[in-house]
Amino acid sequence: MAILVPGVKSILRKSSFHVPKGYLAVYVGESERKRFVVPISILDEPSFQDLLCKAKEEYGFEHPMGGLTIPCKEDIFIDMTSHLKIF
């Protein structure tokens, strides 16, 4: 199951690998990771870019999860993304 972040409350119940056009999947968490589907417009946000830098420092460009993994607590990620004007 993936959580769609445009309001942070919607849940995608189709295939766990389905990502709508204009969105990307990210894995969030420090030990147990949850999959979130976020709009690509989030990539322009400075606070999200900070998370990407943290991910690069921690994992480099190759991570065994196979996808973009953000090493922060899930509640922090939800709080940060829910305040962004990305839509």
Side-chain angles (χ1 to χ4, degrees), residues 14-83:
K14 297 179 181 177
S15 165
S16 62
F17 297 104
H18 177 74
V19 178
K21 186 176 181 177
Y23 291 79
L24 71 132
V26 296
Y27 297 91
V28 178
E30 294 177 321
S31 58
E32 185 177 325
R33 291 178 177 80
K34 188 174 276 187
R35 185 173 183 260
F36 289 84
V37 178
V38 297
I40 59 172
S41 58
I42 199 171
L43 296 171
D44 289 333
E45 292 295 326
S47 56
F48 192 77
Q49 289 178 6
D50 290 341
L51 290 176
L52 291 176
C53 288
K54 184 177 177 184
K56 179 185 168 199
E57 290 171 11
E58 186 151 334
Y59 303 120
F61 290 109
E62 294 183 32
H63 188 268
M65 194 80 178
L68 180 57
T69 303
I70 307 293
C72 76
K73 294 182 179 181
E74 182 183 332
D75 57 336
I76 293 171
F77 180 79
I78 291 171
D79 185 58
M80 187 267 304
T81 55
S82 67
H83 291 91

